[in-house]
Amino acid sequence: MISTSDHYSPSNSKHTTSNPAQARLPSLTPEFLAKHYPSSISLVHVDVLTRHGERTPVSNFFKKLTPPHWDFCKTGNLLHADFIKAVGLYTSASPAITSADRQRRQQQWSNHLFRKESRSVKAVFGIDDKEKQQTGDENGNASSQPSEATCGFGQLTDVGRQSMTALGQHLRHLYVESLGLLPTSAPRRENNHDGPTGDLYLRSTSFSRAFESLQHTLGGLYPTALDAQSLFRINVRPSTRDNLLANFGCKNMVRLYKEFNIRAKEATLDEYNALYDDLLKLDGLREAYESRPKKVNIPMAILAWDTLASMRAHSIPLPSAIDDRLIERVAEMSSVEYLRSTWQSASLARLQIGSLAHELVANIVRSVEVDRGTTPSNNNNSIHNNRWKMGIYSGHDTTISPLLAVFGTALANGEHDNTANNNNNNNNNNNNNTAAWPPYGSSIRIELLKDDTTQRPAIRPAWEDDQAYHSEDLSMVPFDSRIRPINVPDSLYHWPPARRGQPRNGGSDSDARFNPRATRDYYVRVWYNDREFQLPACLDPGAHHATLGTTTCTLDGFFKQVARFVPSEEESVRGCNLPATSAGEPLKS
């Protein structure tokens, strides 16, 4: 049921061309809701993947450009103190854990805490006494002393907390108040004490800026959940097996990553060098770059972007020489240095984000099975044996960007066929091929929709009947030839229509014949911040919704798009251990 509430616009919907550091969200007007969620559509499941909110820089590389300290964490430091207490309980309070486990837990969190004693000017921003005198007033002590509001390196600021709360409010207005996917009140503890058995599955990386961003997203989603009975379980995995982070223990991923970074930089070498020359002309930047040890190969643009993005997001004045165009150039070259390599290679994207893509596909499969009333297929991962309706994953820019590659950024027609890709994008108003760094508070929303009333597309995709040929062992099919992910079970397609006298839901599908059109009532739509994402595979005739258009994929169209990025666990292990190919050549997908 769609609400016709008043115009709603979240407070962080202020992204502009001149402020690419902050994300924006669509305004949930009655017209917007009626257009994208007509009465024929029901929402079955949604996964939300986010980048944390605004933070301070992770280093103080440009000391003469930034303020002596960042006082944007007054509220955050109070809340972070409670967070430290909770971590203390986790790492040391339980007498049942061994000393080795206790040490492991302490080490797991030690790099992600901002303790009060570490927030001195010297510890946080590396300012010594001489610099303190230069930055203070005539007495040398006016503005350089830290306060209770002083942030640490890479810390979620109060601005970031507000942005993530606004994201939670947006999710509430859309998925609770307008669409009714989630209940209006937070789940009670007795119904959700043993994990993700309720309507929500929550996960964060072990970085406190991601964890606390998720806390504030929840605060916006359920603003009245203040009593002790409304507790949420947030799942955090050790960084060595957290698929929200790239696995740099995968040697082949690291090798490919370096190779394609070099290629991306070489492809834009003139522009890259021109930007570096312009940055060297600026006071405060030139000295910092020239002071770098020659043996330390720190990417030029990322160093600048990390500081400039944080300053712009917190409305800190910049020198007049640093205009909007320069900031855009820095953002684009940062993508070249760090992100674009993933957009150029399906092999690399699969190694970097394939495990997470595998999990997201499993979420959709489980949701379809639950909606049909059938028993979920066997799955060793217990999180998929439940009936939750929304998953929220709190990660980083390096979580968001590889997923954009999976959904079609620069990968529409092959790993390196950029000419064909550009032609595709010329006909696509969504402009997926942008090289922008994911803004703070960015979100990807993957919606599983159902429509069993609108007439299905009359045209069938040419590849649809090939589903039958994939019903034996998908591991024998090359990645580039797969039209559904390896973890989509055959049982999803053994689904007959309703028979007279026998209800469709709850019926046995064990004796049903393989039906390549069995999933035609289900659709998937992907949102990136304030826009629908155009998945290239869904442009095919018959691979999208008849009235909602090409951005609303048939379930099989979505499967075809992501199939080559979803390895099995065994394929992931093999992919990491493959021998290196000749220098400069990517592995064949």
Side-chain angles (χ1 to χ4, degrees), residues 2-4 28-39 179 548:
I2 292 182
S3 168
T4 57
L28 300 181
T29 62
E31 294 77 16
F32 174 91
L33 294 170
K35 175 181 178 181
H36 295 287
Y37 302 94
S39 58
L179 301 177
L548 293 180

Side-chain angles (χ1 to χ4, degrees), residues 236-288:
V236 180
R237 300 178 182 177
S239 58
T240 53
R241 59 183 185 88
D242 189 347
N243 57 17
L244 293 174
L245 302 168
N247 177 18
F248 283 94
C250 176
K251 295 180 180 180
N252 199 38
M253 188 206 77
V254 174
R255 181 186 65 78
L256 282 173
Y257 187 78
K258 291 178 178 178
E259 285 185 7
F260 280 99
N261 270 355
I262 293 173
R263 291 186 178 195
K265 191 178 295 185
E266 289 176 346
T268 57
L269 191 59
D270 291 342
E271 186 178 357
Y272 189 87
N273 289 336
L275 174 62
Y276 189 41
D277 290 341
D278 288 342
L279 292 176
L280 289 178
K281 298 174 184 177
L282 303 176
D283 292 336
L285 275 69
R286 180 180 63 254
E287 295 87 345

Side-chain angles (χ1 to χ4, degrees), residues 156-277:
L156 183 74
T157 66
D158 293 346
V159 175
R161 294 172 188 276
Q162 293 171 359
S163 293
M164 301 313 291
T165 300
L167 174 61
Q169 292 170 341
H170 178 86
L171 298 178
R172 178 175 180 81
H173 187 72
L174 179 58
Y175 296 119
V176 177
E177 298 170 354
S178 299
L179 301 177
L181 178 69
L182 298 177
T184 56
S185 300
R188 309 298 289 177
R189 185 178 184 182
E190 61 268 23
N191 295 328
N192 204 32
H193 68 282
D194 58 348
T197 57
D199 294 299
L200 282 171
Y201 173 73
L202 308 170
R203 186 145 74 82
S204 171
T205 70
S206 58
F207 285 80
S208 62
R209 58 179 173 266
F211 190 95
E212 293 174 355
S213 290
L214 179 53
Q215 287 180 306
H216 283 269
T217 301
L218 282 172
L221 183 63
Y222 286 111
T224 60
L226 300 178
D227 62 275
Q229 292 302 312
S230 297
L231 297 182
F232 298 93
R233 175 171 178 169
I234 298 178
N235 298 270
V236 180
R237 300 178 182 177
S239 58
T240 53
R241 59 183 185 88
D242 189 347
N243 57 17
L244 293 174
L245 302 168
N247 177 18
F248 283 94
C250 176
K251 295 180 180 180
N252 199 38
M253 188 206 77
V254 174
R255 181 186 65 78
L256 282 173
Y257 187 78
K258 291 178 178 178
E259 285 185 7
F260 280 99
N261 270 355
I262 293 173
R263 291 186 178 195
K265 191 178 295 185
E266 289 176 346
T268 57
L269 191 59
D270 291 342
E271 186 178 357
Y272 189 87
N273 289 336
L275 174 62
Y276 189 41
D277 290 341

